[in-house]
């Protein structure tokens, strides 16, 4: 880092801070300082931390009849004008920290600001003003107002005097306020007035310092003025800045996790908006689900996992698969009853020790919590008064007797379903019906390996999806032209015939639809849709064949390297465009496709395919994925906010919260 020196030597005098006991004494001293300096004719700039403080000081100055201007962001139209003329002889300006930023205070006044006020009605911006006209206007105003002579006089008097009324958490803000004086080698001075009731002083000094100074005999109106004290205050500011820096650094480190997730999510979402094949995305999602759940349902231990989970949810019995694997129903029921009693014994002892501890006064015992726990665990109907009558000494026997009777009533009938050797296949069929509305029988997976079963299900899903592709455009047309009677709209069979003829590239007359029921019309159109899609189903595969011809058969995982390595010839690209325009009835141009990579060209061709053969379903797929994605992302952000709010508690477990996050 290289420190760049100032253009001219600094002539500003920075006086030590003046510290008072109370805020009232400080404001009185500030007013006295303004009155004293104002009598000399020097301009004064007073910095405050808030609008309320600037208005308080303004009210005090009015009582002494000192003319002044107040900048507090309430009159932002005039702020630049006021601050530009704050260097005039005898000017007093009260400003909040942010007011008038970006405007130089020139001793004697700023003629450039007044020049623009005069020329802004003639020109749209200062850049449009000719330099000759600008310089002439500035010179004329400076002579008319006597600014140069006034500036020399102000400099002889000592220049601009800056008064700070409070130290800020950041030294940068204080330095910016001081830097208003002594610009470009001009003379100037600055002084800060503080009190022990200011925010910064209260945090790092406190009430005990004020009390100590009072005991040492410091009288009202007396001040501490020392360069050593000023250095200590700057050290306190530095500690605050370091704390703020650590907070920002801490926040940034946590946000790095979310930043990576945002990049992944929005790049995926942008692919969808750019027109990628949403059908492929959906089928990829389905494949991931099949690869996850089919091995889960067809696992040999799935029966025993189901029993373990069911016992935990239904009876609160904690088991491990290894405890029950290979048992028949009778052995399993006997084991579960014995295990339920054993765990009940341990649970009752723990609850009695927790709610009725022997080392505490009996008046502090929580009989109500114990009764609620027992009622929830075994569906009892006890209450705290009943348990108190039994007493702590006899409570274990009483609760165990009630628990044994409850355990004897347990219904283990569902074990027959879990122990069925086809339970896994039946669960898989139920999952397929719930997830994809697929109908399958357990016998469909009898004797199949997990890989073969996955392939069978994948074929069923693709066939089912193809059927949806056939029926969806018909459903859209039926909804548009043959609405339900409840909607009160008249059916339009003629319009439906015209739409279907154009959509499925066939000839359908209104007479063919006139005497048919709604169900018959739907099946009639489904057959036309099926012939249309199956007759043109090769177009999607032909796209990949054309791309192999243009870019070669080898496909690399690094698409960018592959795309840069191969450039299709103009002749081959022209042939591809002619085929695409003929097949998809579009108007592609070779020039527009010449610079596209293989992946981008494939996306463009697939988009034309979607628009030609499946426009309704393609739009529905895109809307569906975006809706699910946006909802999941909003939920994720909500949960991440909650996680970040409580992750600091991991420190109590001697773990790094950031690593755990």
């Amino acid at each position: 880092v290289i420190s760049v020196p100032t253009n001219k030597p600094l002539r500003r005098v920075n006086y030590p801070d003046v510290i008072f006991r109370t805020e009232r004494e400080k404001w009185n001293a500030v007013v006295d300082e303004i009155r004293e300096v104002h009598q000399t004719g020097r301009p004064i700039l007073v910095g405050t931390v808030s609008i309320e403080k600037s208005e308080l000081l303004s009210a005090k100055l009015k009582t002494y009849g000192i003319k002044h201007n107040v900048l507090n962001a309430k009159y932002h139209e005039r702020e630049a004008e006021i601050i530009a003329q704050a260097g005039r002889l005898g000017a007093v300006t009260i400003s909040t920290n942010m007011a008038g930023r970006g405007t130089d205070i020139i001793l004697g006044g700023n003629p450039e600001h007044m020049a623009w006020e005069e020329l802004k009605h003639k020109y749209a911006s200062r850049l449009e003003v000719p330099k000759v006209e600008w310089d002439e206007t500035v010179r004329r105003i400076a002579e008319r107002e006597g600014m140069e002579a006034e500036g020399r006089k102000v400099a002889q008097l000592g220049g601009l005097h800056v008064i700070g009324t409070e130290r800020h958490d950041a030294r940068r803000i204080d330095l910016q306020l001081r830097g208003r004086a002594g610009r470009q080698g001009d003379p100037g001075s600055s002084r800060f007035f503080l009190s022990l009731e200011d925010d910064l002083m209260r945090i790092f000094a406190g009430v005990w310092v004020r009390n100590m100074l009072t005991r040492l005999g410091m009288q009202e109106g007396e001040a501490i003025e020392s360069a050593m004290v000023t250095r200590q205050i700057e050290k306190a500011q530095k500690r605050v800045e370091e704390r703020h820096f650590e907070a920002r650094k801490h926040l940034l480190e946590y946000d790095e996790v979310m930043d990576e997730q945002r990049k992944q999510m929005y790049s995926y979402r942008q692919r969808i908006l750019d027109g990628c094949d949403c059908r492929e995305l959906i089928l990829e999602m389905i494949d991931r689900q099949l690869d996850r759940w089919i091995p889960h349902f067809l696992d040999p231990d799935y029966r025993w996992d189901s029993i373990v989970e069911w016992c935990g949810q239904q009876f609160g019995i904690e088991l491990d698969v290894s405890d029950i694997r290979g048992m028949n129903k009778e052995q399993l029921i006997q084991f579960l009853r014995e295990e339920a009693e054993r765990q009940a014994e341990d649970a009752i002892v723990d609850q009695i020790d927790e709610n009725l501890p022997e080392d505490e006064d009996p008046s502090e015992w929580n009989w109500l919590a114990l009764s609620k726990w027992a009622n929830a665990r075994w569906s009892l109907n006890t209450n705290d008064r009943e348990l108190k009558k039994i007493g702590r000494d006899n409570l274990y026997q009483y609760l165990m007797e009630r628990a044994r009777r409850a355990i004897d009533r347990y219904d283990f009938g569902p074990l027959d379903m879990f122990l069925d050797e086809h339970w896994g296949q039946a669960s898989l069929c139920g999952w397929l019906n719930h997830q994809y509305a697929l109908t399958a029988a357990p016998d469909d997976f009898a004797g199949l390996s997990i890989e073969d079963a996955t392939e069978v299900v994948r074929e069923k899903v693709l066939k089912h999806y193809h059927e949806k592709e056939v029926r969806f455009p018909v459903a859209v047309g039926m909804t548009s032209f043959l609405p339900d009677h409840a909607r009160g709209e008249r059916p339009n069979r003629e319009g439906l015939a015209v739409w279907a003829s154009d959509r499925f590239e066939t000839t359908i007359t209104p007479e063919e639809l006139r005497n048919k029921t709604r169900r018959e019309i739907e099946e009639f159109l489904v057959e036309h849709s099926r012939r249309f899609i199956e007759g043109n189903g090769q177009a999607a595969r032909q796209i990949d064949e054309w791309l192999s011809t243009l870019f070669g058969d080898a496909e690399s995982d690094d698409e960018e390297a592959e795309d840069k390595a191969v450039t299709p010839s103009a002749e081959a690209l022209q042939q591809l465009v002619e085929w695409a325009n003929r097949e998809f009835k579009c108007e592609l141009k070779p020039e527009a496709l010449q610079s596209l990579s293989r992946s981008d060209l494939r996306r463009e061709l697939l988009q034309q395919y979607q628009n030609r053969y499946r426009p309704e379903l393609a739009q529905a797929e895109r809307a569906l994925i975006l809706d699910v994605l946006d909802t999941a992302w909003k939920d994720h952000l909500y949960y991440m906010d909650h996680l970040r709010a409580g992750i600091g508690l991991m420190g109590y477990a001697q773990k790094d919260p950031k690593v755990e996050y």
Side-chain angles (χ1 to χ4, degrees), residues 188-200:
S189 59
S190 67
R191 185 191 297 273
F192 276 84
F193 288 78
L194 313 177
S195 78
L196 294 177
E197 295 178 352
D198 293 344
D199 292 339
L200 184 71

Side-chain angles (χ1 to χ4, degrees), residues 636-651:
H636 176 72
L637 293 177
Y638 177 77
Y639 295 135
M640 290 295 283
D641 284 342
H642 278 278
L643 175 63
R644 186 159 56 182
I647 197 66
L649 298 176
M650 296 298 295

Side-chain angles (χ1 to χ4, degrees), residues 414-427:
L415 290 177
D416 291 325
M417 175 179 63
F418 296 133
L419 291 172
D420 188 342
E421 62 179 3
H422 297 298
W423 166 244
Q425 291 89 333
S427 299

Side-chain angles (χ1 to χ4, degrees), residues 192 229 273 338 569 575 578 615:
F192 276 84
V229 175
L273 294 175
E338 293 174 355
S569 64
Q575 294 176 355
E578 292 175 356

Side-chain angles (χ1 to χ4, degrees), residues 606-648:
L606 283 175
Q607 192 169 359
Q608 298 300 329
Y609 168 79
Q610 304 276 8
N611 295 338
R612 176 74 181 88
Y613 294 118
R614 52 197 308 274
E616 301 89 0
L617 189 57
Q619 183 177 357
E621 289 168 340
R622 179 167 287 104
L624 174 66
I625 293 181
L626 288 175
D627 181 66
V628 172
L629 184 65
D630 292 347
T631 301
W633 177 242
K634 287 185 288 187
D635 291 342
H636 176 72
L637 293 177
Y638 177 77
Y639 295 135
M640 290 295 283
D641 284 342
H642 278 278
L643 175 63
R644 186 159 56 182
I647 197 66

Side-chain angles (χ1 to χ4, degrees), residues 388-618:
K388 282 183 181 179
K389 292 179 181 178
I390 296 170
R392 189 184 191 282
D393 295 337
N394 300 321
L395 192 58
Y396 172 79
Q397 293 296 337
Y398 172 76
L399 290 179
M400 272 305 304
E401 181 62 28
R402 297 290 300 271
R404 289 192 185 98
R405 279 184 277 174
I407 293 171
D408 290 338
R409 294 194 299 269
Y410 282 175
D411 179 17
F412 293 105
L415 290 177
D416 291 325
M417 175 179 63
F418 296 133
L419 291 172
D420 188 342
E421 62 179 3
H422 297 298
W423 166 244
Q425 291 89 333
S427 299
L428 175 58
C429 294
W431 178 78
L432 290 174
N433 183 265
H434 172 75
Q435 198 77 2
Y436 307 116
L438 273 180
T439 301
D443 294 339
D444 295 342
F445 310 106
L448 295 181
S449 64
I450 292 178
E451 292 76 12
D452 293 339
T454 303
E455 194 59 35
V456 169
V457 173
R458 185 173 285 112
E459 290 178 2
K460 287 179 176 290
V461 169
L462 289 175
K463 183 178 179 181
H464 189 58
Y465 202 95
H466 175 72
E467 186 65 20
K468 290 290 184 183
E469 291 178 315
V470 171
R471 290 185 172 273
F472 189 79
V474 175
V476 172
M478 295 287 290
T479 303
S480 301
F481 296 98
L482 295 181
D484 294 334
H485 295 294
R487 293 170 54 181
E489 300 179 15
R490 296 183 59 185
N492 184 3
R493 296 172 187 260
E494 292 77 10
L496 179 61
V498 173
W499 171 84
S501 299
D502 179 67
R503 176 65 179 81
F504 305 128
E505 294 185 355
T506 186
T507 302
I508 299 176
T509 63
E511 287 73 18
E512 294 180 89
L513 307 180
R514 183 161 293 135
N515 296 322
K516 288 183 171 64
T517 64
R518 181 184 178 86
R519 180 66 178 171
E520 291 173 339
I521 293 175
E522 182 177 357
E523 293 302 321
F524 176 75
L525 294 179
V526 164
E527 287 305 315
H528 283 279
S529 175
R530 192 184 311 279
R531 287 197 294 269
F532 174 72
I533 290 178
E534 292 178 353
N536 299 282
Q538 302 297 323
R541 299 190 200 93
Q542 290 176 342
I543 290 176
D544 290 327
E545 295 174 2
W546 275 102
L547 292 175
S548 298
T549 302
L550 266 66
F551 293 94
D553 293 330
E555 293 188 7
S556 171
D557 293 335
D558 189 355
E559 292 185 357
E560 293 185 5
E562 178 186 342
D563 294 341
K564 293 177 181 177
V566 181
T567 301
S569 64
E571 182 180 354
L573 189 61
Q574 179 64 37
Q575 294 176 355
L576 171 63
V577 169
E578 292 175 356
W579 170 81
N581 290 338
R582 183 175 61 254
E583 182 72 28
F584 305 136
K585 291 183 168 48
C586 57
E587 298 180 356
L588 296 176
K589 303 292 184 183
E591 300 79 16
L593 306 181
Q594 184 69 46
S595 59
L596 296 183
S597 63
R598 177 173 186 154
S599 56
D600 291 339
L601 182 57
R602 184 176 187 273
R603 182 173 63 243
E604 177 65 28
L605 294 174
L606 283 175
Q607 192 169 359
Q608 298 300 329
Y609 168 79
Q610 304 276 8
N611 295 338
R612 176 74 181 88
Y613 294 118
R614 52 197 308 274
E616 301 89 0
L617 189 57

